[in-house]
Amino acid sequence: MNPIADSHHEDADVAAERVRIFDTTLRDGEQAPGFSMDRKAKLRMAQALEALGVDVLEAGFPQASPDDFAAVAEIARTLESTTVCGLARCQSVDIDAAGKALEAAQRSRIHVFLSTSPLHREHKLGMSKAQVLDTAVAGVERARGLCHEVEFSAEDALRTEPDFLVEVFSAAVAAGATTLNAPDTVGYTTPAEIIELFEYLRRHVAGADKVIFSSHCHDDLGMAVANSLAAISAGARQVECTINGIGERAGNAALEEIVMALKVRAPHFGVDTRIDTRKLYPTSRLLTQLTGQAVPRNKAIVGDNAFAHEAGIHQHGMLKHRGTYEIMHAQDVGIAETRLVLGKHSGRAALRQRLQALGHRPVDAEMDGIFARFKTLADKKREIHDEDLEAIALGQDPDATGPWRIVQLTSATHLGGSASASVQLAHEDGREASEAAIGDGPVDAVLRAIERATGNELQLTDFNVRAVSEGGDAQGQAQLTARHGKRDWNGHGVSTDIVEATALAALAIVNRIERQAPVRPPVAVAHL
Ligand code: MN
């Protein structure tokens, strides 16, 4: 079989009406500071994205690290219908790694990229136009033999001479690329400009009628979604985007915004996607839970206020006719009309049903643990909200357990600012460690005590505590990022007590570190 010819055929049939959604949440999104996910979280997100209906899922950059490679390979093995894509520079080592990571995919795509703009050619690559052309062709040719379909991206395309871009793209098509991506790498373009470029490309690229043109927009000037929609109106039939618009710097174009714009304004755009829009909100929520990064209340489509019509004059109009102020329904994006509250008398079936509505698909083995934690929490709290359930579901992550666990924790805050904490920890090898420390506040104190007890130095780079449900007995979620060795580690913890949540988050980090590195004996520390 010739996979390339095959995909030409498939693409040509539907090119007129369908826009392909290329999700890069797990690559461009995940590589941004604050959004890193471990392998387990990535797999979970990938499964949610497949259920959402994305056409192509960029799972990572296999050559970047062994972790990235393993995550891409695992996603490639697991997904059933979504095309799984791996990123690669136009270098043999990258392309071969991507091909290997994607081996098990039902449908695989290697996404090769190379800078084409004069600025990047001169200062980043040190290559002439001819060298760029040769390198691009060699990259596409190599990738072609290793996967079902090849996408070629001209990095910084929007600042590339249009005639040179046509030359590179034409050569990439001749070499076997079936998707041509023109990224606005630096978030610099405008809707009018991107329309002009895509129309020009479709007129001049040799073989343009046989390939899919793609946009990849960044939000540095707040125009990523507008620019993506403009590219679609000029013939782009793939858009690269991320859930919640996460991504490098100001982020990528937000998937949920593009999809709902195409749906709500269907007659205007005249194109469709395969996204099940009722899964947009649950998928967005899952991402915020996995990364610990919430979206702003006023975020389009998925923010808490997006469907709240609170102002009195609006409510008056809404009561007479919903259409007066409402252009879409909350249910269309998967926000339940009534927020069901569960309690201590709720059964396993109700819990499972609610978790599924929230985008979680626990297997039976996981369900036992989740149900047990649910009952424990229900004894402490009268009402269990969706946020509580999500926190419980994520607490089941086996990656977040052992070898250390907390036996005892006490903390005290002293008037005037300082605080103290003491922890008693147990290691699965039988060791016990007790340490006390003082700090600028209870969080600082508990971190220092855990550092001492486990012998792992943690340099805190990001710390975030927020309530994950409503009311005075709300659960708090602590999200920590700490530098250890040469990399950043994330951990989160959930508890009705925020100091305990912080301790759990810190311990999750220590546990991740210790499972990957040999255990060092605790360092000797001069005590108070
Ligand atoms: Mn990007």
Side-chain angles (χ1 to χ4, degrees):
M1 153 187 107
N2 178 346
I4 301 298
D6 191 47
S7 69
H8 272 156
H9 177 75
E10 186 219 35
D11 288 344
D13 274 350
V14 285
E17 70 280 355
R18 182 157 67 84
V19 170
R20 284 151 193 75
I21 300 297
F22 176 113
D23 179 275
T24 185
T25 303
L26 296 176
R27 203 277 300 166
D28 209 325
E30 199 267 348
Q31 77 189 40
F35 293 98
S36 64
M37 284 172 255
D38 60 23
R39 220 199 298 169
K40 176 109 181 157
K42 284 183 188 172
L43 181 64
R44 187 166 200 150
M45 196 64 209
Q47 288 171 313
L49 290 165
E50 177 162 67
L52 177 67
V54 306
D55 297 278
V56 186
L57 187 150
E58 188 163 58
F61 181 6
Q63 181 60 20
S65 73
D67 268 2
D68 259 49
F69 183 95
V72 174
E74 194 169 10
I75 291 168
R77 269 196 304 276
T78 309
L79 296 196
E80 286 158 11
S81 57
T82 309
T83 298
V84 181
C85 174
L87 185 69
R89 289 167 295 185
C90 279
Q91 298 175 4
S92 306
V93 53
D94 279 31
I95 296 165
D96 294 352
K100 202 158 171 16
L102 293 168
E103 255 168 11
Q106 295 296 320
R107 189 150 187 95
S108 59
R109 172 183 297 192
I110 295 179
H111 177 191
V112 289
F113 73 101
L114 183 66
S115 286
T116 51
S117 70
L119 210 62
H120 283 222
R121 287 194 313 260
E122 189 186 336
H123 298 287
K124 180 180 158 181
L125 300 174
M127 281 187 186
S128 67
K129 281 185 175 178
Q131 285 172 311
V132 166
L133 209 54
D134 288 349
T135 308
V137 167
V140 171
E141 281 175 348
R142 190 170 189 104
R144 193 184 164 177
L146 300 172
C147 60
H148 292 101
E149 54 197 51
V150 178
E151 169 169 342
F152 175 77
S153 269
E155 188 182 345
D156 207 18
L158 268 295
R159 294 192 300 175
T160 300
E161 307 91 327
D163 60 332
F164 181 56
L165 197 54
V166 164
E167 218 180 314
V168 178
F169 276 167
S170 300
V173 175
T178 52
T179 300
L180 299 176
N181 183 38
D184 183 21
T185 305
V186 293
Y188 181 73
T189 197
T190 68
E193 206 172 72
I194 203 169
I195 286 173
E196 200 180 331
L197 179 70
F198 274 72
E199 285 178 346
Y200 179 84
L201 292 173
R202 288 179 62 220
R203 263 203 314 277
H204 292 98
V205 170
D209 54 327
K210 290 181 298 191
V211 298
I212 300 281
F213 284 92
S214 166
S215 82
H216 174 114
C217 296
H218 277 273
D219 211 31
D220 298 72
L221 294 173
M223 292 189 280
V225 170
N227 287 336
S228 304
L229 293 169
I232 289 169
S233 73
R237 286 297 173 266
Q238 172 180 289
V239 281
E240 303 195 355
C241 44
T242 60
I243 299 293
N244 298 342
I246 71 170
E248 288 277 31
R249 304 183 308 280
N252 287 65
L255 182 153
E256 63 279 6
E257 295 178 19
I258 293 174
V259 166
M260 288 312 289
L262 294 179
K263 184 178 166 112
V264 171
R265 303 300 310 274
H268 176 78
F269 288 105
V271 294
D272 204 1
T273 72
R274 283 208 310 223
I275 297 295
D276 176 357
T277 64
R278 288 160 310 161
K279 295 204 166 84
L280 286 172
Y281 182 72
T283 310
S284 161
R285 290 305 304 251
L286 180 63
L287 181 64
T288 65
Q289 290 291 320
L290 291 173
T291 59
Q293 306 284 358
V295 298
R297 289 191 77 90
N298 64 324
K299 164 84 177 63
I301 313 298
V302 294
D304 285 349
N305 284 2
F307 291 92
H309 298 268
E310 296 231 357
I313 189 165
H314 287 198
Q315 283 189 347
H316 180 69
M318 293 269 295
L319 287 174
K320 292 193 165 165
H321 189 288
R322 294 181 75 102
T324 47
Y325 290 98
E326 197 180 69
I327 60 166
M328 54 191 159
H329 300 312
Q331 308 94 277
D332 296 344
V333 303
I335 298 173
E337 260 197 305
T338 50
R339 305 245 278 166
L340 252 179
V341 174
L342 299 184
K344 64 193 291 185
H345 300 297
S346 303
R348 205 180 150 100
L351 176 63
R352 183 189 282 273
Q353 202 173 33
R354 194 70 207 135
L355 285 169
Q356 278 167 348
L358 294 169
H360 297 275
R361 295 187 294 175
V363 298
D364 284 341
E366 290 172 322
M367 210 40 217
D368 294 338
I370 292 173
F371 191 60
R373 290 196 55 186
F374 167 76
K375 285 292 183 189
T376 308
L377 184 67
D379 282 337
K380 283 197 228 170
K381 288 192 64 174
R382 206 163 41 81
E383 294 182 336
I384 309 289
H385 295 268
D386 288 352
E387 294 80 359
D388 297 319
L389 294 180
E390 283 174 329
I392 289 174
L394 288 166
Q396 265 320 101
D397 183 356
D399 256 8
T401 58
W404 289 103
R405 65 184 173 80
I406 297 178
V407 179
Q408 191 63 258
L409 166 71
T410 55
S411 77
T413 307
H414 310 291
L415 205 59
S418 78
S420 58
S422 68
V423 294
Q424 188 190 346
L425 304 178
H427 194 278
E428 63 188 18
D429 67 8
R431 269 183 294 154
E432 288 224 339
S434 297
E435 289 289 347
I438 56 164
D440 297 334
V443 166
D444 187 40
V446 84
L447 273 175
R448 286 178 187 210
I450 287 176
E451 253 185 342
R452 284 179 182 176
T454 64
N456 285 286
E457 242 178 86
L458 301 176
Q459 202 188 328
L460 200 61
T461 56
D462 195 23
F463 172 59
N464 203 322
V465 178
R466 63 192 184 90
V468 291
S469 53
E470 293 154 18
D473 57 355
Q475 294 211 92
Q477 173 176 268
Q479 174 76 28
L480 300 184
T481 306
R483 188 147 270 265
H484 177 91
K486 282 194 174 115
R487 54 169 288 197
D488 284 330
W489 303 77
N490 284 327
H492 64 262
V494 178
S495 168
T496 49
D497 177 302
I498 61 157
V499 176
E500 188 181 320
T502 305
L504 290 168
L507 211 61
I509 291 177
V510 168
N511 284 336
R512 281 197 180 124
I513 291 170
E514 290 207 6
R515 279 197 308 277
Q516 302 210 0
V519 181
R520 290 175 304 152
V523 291
V525 183
H527 289 277
L528 313 176

